[in-house]
Amino acid sequence: MTLLQFITYTGTFVFALTGALKARKFQMDIFGGLVVAFATAYGGGTIRDVLIGIRPVNWVNDYVALALVVAGGIITFLLKEGVNKFSKTIFFTDALGIGLFTAAGIEVALAQGVNQPYALIMGVISATFGGLIADIFCNDVPNLFKRGELYATACAIGGAIYLLLKQTNIDKEINLIICVVLVIAIRIYSKRNRLQLPNI
Amino acid sequence: MTLLQFITYTGTFVFALTGALKARKFQMDIFGGLVVAFATAYGGGTIRDVLIGIRPVNWVNDYVALALVVAGGIITFLLKEGVNKFSKTIFFTDALGIGLFTAAGIEVALAQGVNQPYALIMGVISATFGGLIADIFCNDVPNLFKRGELYATACAIGGAIYLLLKQTNIDKEINLIICVVLVIAIRIYSKRNRLQLPNI
Amino acid sequence: MTLLQFITYTGTFVFALTGALKARKFQMDIFGGLVVAFATAYGGGTIRDVLIGIRPVNWVNDYVALALVVAGGIITFLLKEGVNKFSKTIFFTDALGIGLFTAAGIEVALAQGVNQPYALIMGVISATFGGLIADIFCNDVPNLFKRGELYATACAIGGAIYLLLKQTNIDKEINLIICVVLVIAIRIYSKRNRLQLPNI
């Protein structure tokens, strides 16, 4: 297993949990929960793959992906607790997830010959569009576009720094850690200080 | 015309009718009706093709597909009756449609080298995501994720049995009929007995 | 820059403005505004590319596309006026945009070996599905399917005439102008006379 795969799987599991809890909020059954969990976990990477033209998309034929989502669904089902109880945990694991997915998305895009500005966009899409698709599936107003703390912006800043540091001699793993820590830090800082982007 | 094509066209026409009636419920004009009919009929197969990487997607350049959807739209337009009147008929034709599309989706996926668990997923997507896209187009809460009788689950069970029987010497046509009858039976049984999956 | 590129960029900028103003209506921040602007401008062409199988989709690695959307977002941000003030201007620029995108979408589809009826469909998708995706992102009832003045129908008529005139010796640029003028004329005529398609 490469580092990129390990990152993706960790983020995936976290996102699957978030998606399954979201499905519970909308009173779905187990099937709906698994679909929303899958969409949250793999939606962003799927959109990235379709836009870049990677085919089939990354998760097809991947048993680990399937196992992670099913595990996330089963754990959520067994816990039988509301989202609120885990909201603090989810905030951190989600921030970890989007940090990891931003870096992973950038790497996949660069490997396919995408230039740097669009690789950054693909990183942000990888990190945030899974939640967007889950919101669309739930017919909910997409959280991604609601005014609130910095979310996609945190990914964009973390990803931009990651791309800049890639030009230097910095170790790949250290660069990844910087990116993730930066995304988490921006998320926490913006939540604490109610930092928002101005309205369009 | 192969058996697979014949199946797909039959299911398509049924789905086009369902989609056009749905558009009427949302008071759309003829254009909206045709788009929702097309989305209902071809949306699931389109998502499957995009995910697997079949390009162009199956219906491009297919005059029969276009004719079936337009015919479904025109018939709906001429009948000028509400959905309620046909709700029983639609229940059966839709159950027939999702049974056929599950098997067809599995065959297409296997032919592209998709492994069995994901071929099953692609079968369920082929059968159910057309209605999902139509619901999203109508800004409706997706029926697919509402708690209710078994729907996608019926496809999943029918498709799993279809995959199992494919390993045996059973005739292809007979296997297909078993899959479709099973899906219809599960649909009817779950509706009669208010059988539901547990909440996530 | 070819004529097709010039057309696409002009339409893009107009659509980016429309999208950014739409995001303002939904009280999004700058990030949301840029995403909705991008979706409005490139969504239709993206769906067309994914369906036909052009990969990566047309805007990946295109700095001009990015600059046009960002410029549209910044101009909207600086103007700080509501949509209403520009509604008349937007009506015309949008009619211009969908006329240009219909012709451009047809040309792209034909170049990929799509037959004429589906090239027309791809033209209409190119012109109208960007707004559809933007509406879905905003969790709004898609304007495209609301009963109202002729919109997609205007594109379909303009595109059909464009395809017919392509068979003749007519100059390519003149044909394009005829298509655009026709779409704008149908839009104005249908608005003035409250011309609508019948309900399905």
Side-chain angles (χ1 to χ4, degrees):
Chain A
M1 195 186 280
T2 66
L3 180 70
L4 197 64
Q5 276 180 307
F6 179 75
I7 295 170
T8 312
Y9 287 141
T10 311
T12 297
F13 182 68
V14 167
F15 279 169
L17 285 176
T18 316
L21 286 170
K22 182 178 176 64
R24 174 174 297 165
K25 200 176 124 195
F26 284 87
Q27 299 181 298
M28 293 185 181
D29 61 21
I30 287 183
F31 167 78
L34 287 177
V35 175
V36 175
F38 204 101
T40 309
Y42 283 100
T46 302
I47 298 286
R48 176 202 62 211
D49 289 354
V50 168
L51 294 175
I52 299 179
I54 298 171
R55 58 173 193 160
V57 296
N58 64 82
W59 46 265
V60 170
N61 287 356
D62 182 346
Y63 290 116
V64 184
L66 204 53
L68 285 170
V69 170
V70 171
I74 290 174
I75 289 172
T76 307
F77 179 70
L78 293 177
L79 284 177
K80 280 289 172 216
E81 295 282 350
V83 191
N84 294 331
K85 205 181 160 186
F86 303 110
S87 63
K88 272 200 179 167
T89 316
I90 286 177
F91 179 84
F92 282 100
T93 52
D94 185 70
L96 176 68
I98 59 172
L100 293 168
F101 271 41
T102 301
I106 287 172
E107 288 296 341
V108 171
L110 289 175
Q112 296 284 326
V114 175
N115 63 29
Q116 297 213 1
Y118 277 100
L120 180 57
I121 290 175
M122 292 302 162
V124 177
I125 287 177
S126 303
T128 62
F129 272 44
L132 171 62
I133 293 177
D135 284 338
I136 290 173
F137 280 3
C138 296
N139 198 28
D140 198 10
V141 178
N143 215 28
L144 182 58
F145 302 136
K146 274 188 208 152
R147 269 202 90 193
E149 321 106 52
L150 305 184
Y151 191 80
T153 313
C155 299
I157 295 170
I161 302 293
Y162 180 82
L163 275 168
L164 278 177
L165 291 179
K166 255 183 93 79
Q167 320 282 3
T168 68
N169 284 327
I170 199 170
D171 200 66
K172 215 175 167 179
E173 279 79 9
I174 293 174
N175 193 2
L176 176 67
I177 293 168
I178 292 174
C179 172
V180 170
V181 169
L182 202 59
V183 170
I184 297 177
I186 296 171
R187 291 285 294 137
I188 295 175
Y189 182 84
S190 81
K191 197 183 177 70
R192 288 252 170 92
N193 299 277
R194 299 173 186 277
L195 202 66
Q196 298 185 331
L197 288 180
N199 275 2
I200 182 108
Chain B
M1 195 187 280
T2 67
L3 180 69
L4 197 64
Q5 276 181 308
F6 178 76
I7 295 169
T8 312
Y9 287 141
T10 309
T12 297
F13 181 69
V14 167
F15 278 169
L17 285 175
T18 316
L21 285 169
K22 184 179 175 61
R24 174 175 297 167
K25 200 176 125 196
F26 283 86
Q27 300 181 299
M28 293 184 181
D29 60 21
I30 286 182
F31 167 79
L34 287 177
V35 175
V36 174
F38 204 101
T40 309
Y42 282 100
T46 301
I47 299 286
R48 177 201 63 211
D49 289 353
V50 168
L51 294 175
I52 300 180
I54 298 171
R55 58 170 193 161
V57 297
N58 63 83
W59 46 265
V60 170
N61 287 356
D62 183 346
Y63 289 117
V64 184
L66 204 53
L68 285 170
V69 170
V70 171
I74 290 174
I75 289 172
T76 307
F77 179 70
L78 293 176
L79 285 176
K80 281 287 174 216
E81 296 282 350
V83 191
N84 295 329
K85 204 181 161 187
F86 303 110
S87 64
K88 271 200 180 167
T89 317
I90 286 178
F91 179 84
F92 281 101
T93 52
D94 185 69
L96 176 68
I98 60 172
L100 293 169
F101 271 41
T102 302
I106 288 173
E107 289 295 342
V108 170
L110 290 175
Q112 296 284 325
V114 176
N115 64 28
Q116 296 213 2
Y118 277 100
L120 180 58
I121 290 175
M122 291 302 161
V124 176
I125 286 177
S126 303
T128 62
F129 272 43
L132 171 62
I133 293 177
D135 284 338
I136 290 173
F137 279 3
C138 296
N139 198 27
D140 198 10
V141 179
N143 215 29
L144 183 59
F145 302 135
K146 273 188 207 151
R147 268 203 91 193
E149 320 106 51
L150 305 184
Y151 191 80
T153 313
C155 299
I157 296 170
I161 302 292
Y162 180 82
L163 275 167
L164 278 177
L165 292 179
K166 255 182 93 80
Q167 320 281 3
T168 67
N169 285 326
I170 200 171
D171 200 65
K172 214 176 168 179
E173 279 79 8
I174 292 174
N175 192 4
L176 176 68
I177 291 168
I178 293 175
C179 171
V180 170
V181 170
L182 202 60
V183 170
I184 296 177
I186 296 171
R187 289 285 295 138
I188 294 175
Y189 182 84
S190 81
K191 197 183 176 70
R192 288 252 170 93
N193 299 277
R194 298 175 187 276
L195 202 67
Q196 298 185 331
L197 289 180
N199 275 1
I200 183 111
Chain C
M1 194 186 280
T2 66
L3 180 69
L4 197 63
Q5 276 180 308
F6 179 76
I7 295 169
T8 312
Y9 287 141
T10 310
T12 297
F13 181 69
V14 167
F15 279 170
L17 284 175
T18 317
L21 286 169
K22 182 177 177 62
R24 174 174 296 166
K25 199 176 127 196
F26 283 86
Q27 300 181 298
M28 293 184 181
D29 61 21
I30 286 183
F31 167 79
L34 287 178
V35 175
V36 175
F38 204 101
T40 309
Y42 282 100
T46 302
I47 299 286
R48 176 201 63 211
D49 289 353
V50 168
L51 293 175
I52 299 180
I54 298 172
R55 57 170 195 163
V57 296
N58 63 82
W59 46 265
V60 170
N61 288 357
D62 183 348
Y63 290 116
V64 183
L66 204 53
L68 285 170
V69 170
V70 171
I74 290 175
I75 289 172
T76 307
F77 179 69
L78 293 177
L79 284 177
K80 281 287 174 217
E81 296 282 350
V83 191
N84 295 330
K85 203 180 161 186
F86 303 110
S87 63
K88 272 202 180 166
T89 317
I90 287 178
F91 179 83
F92 281 101
T93 52
D94 185 69
L96 176 68
I98 59 172
L100 293 169
F101 271 41
T102 302
I106 287 172
E107 289 295 341
V108 170
L110 290 175
Q112 295 284 326
V114 175
N115 62 29
Q116 296 214 2
Y118 277 100
L120 180 57
I121 290 175
M122 292 301 162
V124 177
I125 287 177
S126 303
T128 62
F129 272 44
L132 171 62
I133 293 176
D135 284 338
I136 290 172
F137 279 3
C138 296
N139 198 26
D140 197 10
V141 179
N143 216 29
L144 183 58
F145 302 137
K146 273 189 208 149
R147 269 202 90 194
E149 321 105 52
L150 305 183
Y151 191 79
T153 312
C155 299
I157 296 171
I161 301 293
Y162 180 82
L163 274 167
L164 278 177
L165 291 179
K166 255 182 93 80
Q167 319 282 3
T168 67
N169 284 327
I170 199 171
D171 200 64
K172 214 175 166 178
E173 279 79 8
I174 293 174
N175 193 3
L176 176 67
I177 292 168
I178 292 174
C179 172
V180 170
V181 169
L182 202 59
V183 170
I184 296 177
I186 296 172
R187 290 285 295 137
I188 294 176
Y189 182 84
S190 82
K191 197 183 175 72
R192 287 252 169 93
N193 299 278
R194 298 174 186 278
L195 202 66
Q196 298 185 331
L197 287 180
N199 274 0
I200 183 110

